[in-house]
Amino acid sequence: MISGKPVGIFGGTFDPIHYGHLRLAEEMLELAELDQLRFIPTGTPPHRDAPEVAALHRSAMVGCAIAGRAEFLLDTREVERPGRSYTVNTLRELRAELGAERSLCLLMGADAFLQLHTWHEWQSLFGLAHIVVGYRPGFRLEERIPTAPPVLQNEYRQRTANVTALAQSAAGGIVELAIPQLEISATDIRQRVAAGRSIRYLLPETVTDYIYQHHLYASC
Ligand code: ATP
């Protein structure tokens, strides 16, 4: 028996958060009919280079960006946790807090999904949450999946589900959603700030103000 609407979980370095992230979150909220979406800035990400600025600043910028949007929540558990942050541990905590009957939806892009088999205890993720994969229109996961390792292909074939599954079960489905993406990247924003170029209209003004007030990315 499922209780309440699904809870979305959106992890990222958010270094800094920008309108690409926020539009993706907004589309996911709407298409997956989520009750709430938790932005979880990563602590020490296992899969990429260390973020440019301190976790404290990255979290604060997420807070600035989502202020006033009641369904968007900032969840700082990964930046507060010492050591490496693994999604599987975050999901275990959330599952313990929200109960076995709540639908949890882990949001990610198609590129991230194609690397899922490299994540810590990746097969345990399916017992804890649904995986919701946002793909650019024109980029079909189905076309890329034949080149993925057979273990990932098997999970994909067995678990592919319709969006309605997110409200009907607590975990275990893989749901694809077509989401237009804005051509904005955090890397580009950092480089622009370092070069003294404008970042206006790429991210919320409150975040831009925060970046300048705290002299972030000036020497990237
Ligand atoms: P960087 O440029 O530093 O690599 P990033 O924005 O790609 O940053 P994250 O902050 O970790 O990296 O992104 C979090 C999630 O948001 C990832 O799943 C990523 O695919 C997605 N994302 C990033 N930029 C966009 C965008 N413009 N449109 C939609 N999704 C995005």
Side-chain angles (χ1 to χ4, degrees), residues 10-14 18 20-21 24 48 109 181-182 184 186-187 190:
F10 185 24
T13 45
F14 304 123
H18 53 68
H21 300 127
L24 178 72
R48 43 176 286 169
Q181 294 203 338
L182 302 177
I184 300 174
T187 304
R190 294 194 299 271

